[in-house]
Amino acid sequence: MVKILYFAGLREATGQGAEEFALPDDVRDVAALRALLRKRGDAWAEALAESKRVRAAVNQDMAAGDTPVTDGDEVAFFPPVTGG
Amino acid sequence: MPVRIQNEDFDIGREVAQLRRDNPQVGAVASFVGVVRDLNDGKTVAEMTLEHYPGMTEKAIEEIIGQAKGRWQVYDALVVHRIGRLAPLDQIVLVVVTSAHRGDAFAACEFIMDYLKTQAPFWKKEKTPDGARWVEARASDDAAAERWQTKD
């Protein structure tokens, strides 16, 4: 299982803030996980579309598409940050 | 290396006094305060809500401070960032850096702020007359952070 968190506009668009997710064997990185989540339906496909600027973090470090994801990880998806 | 995320307002005088207390080697203190404006992208802003990623936000800012300490001669640095509901005129963020000399203090303070804008997970949602909207990230903020990158 991995824990997946969604923040800001992504949380609102998907209607989901946090979930426990069973990671299929063939999903080994952030890009593959994002692609799999897109298959959940229109809202997910739209919010996580490749054309959208979506940032990700693995275990609370900024991640890229090829950052590995393994069981027990905390993965987060969110829009580009706008603090300060 | 103090990092605080809080709902409450902060007192810059008190924070500066606390950070440089009992250190006679400090010859320069640089600080930056970010404040809520009533206008953004051509629309009136009545109120905003700031959201963050508990845990990662603190960690990201601590890493930014660590990088600043590696690049400049810095004794200490403090970042206080507010979350929750804020209105125009409210303070949002405080960065304070203590150093022996002003050059290091100014540079480190600006570096921390530029990196915080692009690396620390915070998101702003504004209330405008047309409804609520998430603030879009700015290319100018990415450019501000990129200019600190060294060619090595």
Side-chain angles (χ1 to χ4, degrees):
Chain A
M1 299 291 276
V2 289
K3 184 177 187 183
I4 311 181
L5 304 172
Y6 306 89
F7 290 96
L10 260 174
R11 183 191 61 247
E12 288 183 350
T14 61
Q16 185 103 33
E19 64 176 316
E20 294 288 332
F21 185 82
L23 203 64
D25 287 342
D26 58 343
V27 174
R28 298 197 179 92
D29 64 23
V30 168
L33 178 58
R34 181 173 163 183
L36 183 62
L37 294 170
R38 275 201 293 270
K39 294 181 181 161
R40 284 176 160 177
D42 289 348
W44 291 82
E46 163 82 20
L48 295 169
E50 278 186 74
S51 60
K52 283 270 169 66
R53 292 176 70 201
V54 173
R55 298 279 184 267
V58 175
N59 298 326
Q60 306 192 348
D61 281 321
M62 285 289 188
D66 62 359
T67 301
V69 176
T70 52
D71 254 359
D73 282 348
E74 177 177 298
V75 183
F77 291 101
F78 44 80
V81 303
T82 56
Chain B
M1 110 195 9
V3 174
R4 295 200 327 259
I5 314 296
Q6 61 187 42
N7 283 281
E8 311 80 60
D9 198 8
F10 51 81
D11 177 338
I12 179 170
R14 208 170 65 194
E15 301 292 354
V16 166
Q18 178 84 12
L19 198 69
R20 72 183 191 83
R21 192 170 63 185
D22 300 332
N23 187 352
Q25 294 176 307
V26 171
V29 180
S31 64
F32 172 86
V33 177
V35 173
V36 182
R37 293 183 304 149
D38 66 355
L39 191 74
N40 185 35
D41 274 342
K43 295 224 169 92
T44 313
V45 176
E47 184 187 293
M48 68 164 63
T49 308
L50 262 142
E51 176 179 332
H52 79 306
Y53 179 171
M56 179 174 170
T57 307
E58 292 85 345
K59 188 176 162 189
I61 298 172
E62 278 167 14
E63 280 170 12
I64 294 164
I65 291 175
Q67 285 179 43
K69 286 186 168 176
R71 287 182 72 163
W72 294 280
Q73 194 274 322
V74 166
Y75 289 124
D76 219 341
L78 165 75
V79 173
V80 182
H81 203 299
R82 295 179 69 192
I83 50 167
R85 284 168 63 172
L86 296 171
L89 299 173
D90 282 349
Q91 305 186 113
I92 307 178
V93 60
L94 170 69
V95 180
V96 184
V97 175
T98 60
S99 178
H101 303 288
R102 70 184 182 285
D104 290 283
F106 276 133
C109 186
E110 193 170 17
F111 170 88
I112 290 169
M113 197 54 217
D114 282 347
Y115 268 67
L116 185 153
K117 293 282 283 189
T118 56
Q119 301 295 316
F122 290 101
W123 302 274
K124 289 185 187 127
K125 193 176 194 179
E126 297 174 334
K127 245 187 214 169
T128 76
D130 299 336
R133 62 177 183 184
W134 289 99
V135 173
E136 298 272 336
R138 291 171 200 270
S140 60
D141 287 334
D142 288 332
E146 272 164 24
R147 78 202 153 99
W148 295 101
Q149 277 167 24
T150 47
K151 291 178 204 144
D152 53 11

